[in-house]
């Protein structure tokens, strides 16, 4: 989509992909301006932190979009079927996790762009097929859910709220 208005009249696939991208961008925006300690700071009794949620989202994008539709998933340094994908170890860097998310998004986008919504894939951890349409809707839900978690964690860290930067109207300060 080239303009924000065109999404309102686009086809189903473009609308779903644009919605996913909006939530993906909100996830990354929640990290802006924070230092490494803040990104890793456990904010719940279970240890949830901003960077761990991004690592998890990268893992599930690879799983649902790439693995399910027969694509090549990069070798993972953690077990995506355990809580390893939600935790960030001391040897993992912020750049490593952000780059991982970027690669997962790009690989998922290639699947989305290259297949029709009715294309069928088979997740290795399920005993049934799924359509690309279903996966897109599921990943919009998954990403939006975790973007909400990120929003709450960010507010607890420094008070910042919202899902994207707000434009300041001309003539106001």
């Amino acid at each position: 989509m080239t303009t924000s208005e065109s999404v309102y009249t686009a086809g189903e696939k473009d609308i779903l992909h644009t919605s996913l991208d909006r939530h993906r961008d909100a996830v990354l925006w929640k990290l802006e301006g924070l230092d490494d300690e803040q990104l890793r700071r456990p904010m719940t009794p279970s240890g949830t932190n901003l960077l761990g949620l991004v690592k998890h989202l990268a893992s599930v994008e690879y799983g649902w979009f790439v693995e399910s539709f027969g694509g090549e998933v990069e070798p993972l340094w953690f077990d995506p079927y355990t809580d390893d994908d939600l935790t960030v170890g001391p040897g993992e860097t912020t750049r490593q996790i952000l780059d991982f998310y970027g690669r997962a998004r790009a690989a998922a986008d290639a699947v989305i762009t290259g297949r029709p919504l009715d294309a069928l894939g088979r997740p290795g951890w399920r005993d049934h097929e799924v359509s690309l349409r279903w996966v897109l809707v599921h990943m919009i839900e998954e990403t939006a859910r975790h973007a909400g978690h990120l929003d709450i964690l960010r507010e607890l860290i420094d008070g910042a709220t919202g899902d994207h930067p707000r434009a300041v109207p001309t003539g106001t300060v």
Side-chain angles (χ1 to χ4, degrees), residues 108-124:
D109 286 346
V111 170
I112 296 165
T113 302
R115 289 173 176 75
L117 287 173
D118 293 334
L120 296 178
R122 188 176 185 92

Side-chain angles (χ1 to χ4, degrees), residues 17 27 35 37 49 61 67 88 92 96-97 108 117-118 124 139 143 167 172:
H17 197 176
V27 163
D35 62 31
E37 184 278 326
N49 64 70
E61 289 232 10
E67 180 182 337
V88 180
E92 296 175 282
Q96 178 185 13
I97 302 300
L117 287 173
D118 293 334
M139 285 306 302
T143 306
T172 63

Side-chain angles (χ1 to χ4, degrees), residues 46-172:
S46 65
T48 303
N49 64 70
L50 295 167
L51 205 54
L53 287 169
V54 175
K55 181 180 173 186
H56 169 72
L57 285 169
S59 174
V60 296
E61 289 232 10
Y62 264 130
W64 280 111
F65 286 115
V66 183
E67 180 182 337
S68 294
F69 290 91
E72 181 92 20
V73 176
E74 68 180 80
L76 302 179
W77 66 94
F78 58 90
D79 183 350
Y81 301 107
T82 67
D83 286 342
D84 285 354
D85 77 335
L86 280 165
T87 59
V88 180
E92 296 175 282
T93 67
T94 296
R95 177 57 34 214
Q96 178 185 13
I97 302 300
L98 293 178
D99 288 349
F100 177 52
Y101 189 51
R103 291 189 307 274
R105 279 182 70 165
D109 286 346
V111 170
I112 296 165
T113 302
R115 289 173 176 75
L117 287 173
D118 293 334
L120 296 178
R122 188 176 185 92
W125 61 95
R126 296 285 171 105
D127 60 356
H128 56 81
E129 292 181 314
V130 293
S131 71
L132 179 60
R133 176 182 288 103
W134 185 90
V135 171
L136 267 164
V137 170
H138 174 68
M139 285 306 302
I140 290 166
E141 294 168 339
E142 176 89 0
T143 306
R145 176 177 177 248
H146 290 310
H149 296 143
L150 286 150
D151 193 41
I152 292 166
L153 298 181
R154 178 66 188 253
E155 184 176 0
L156 290 170
I157 290 169
D158 69 356
T161 61
D163 63 351
H164 60 279
R166 304 282 183 216
V168 177
T170 307
T172 63

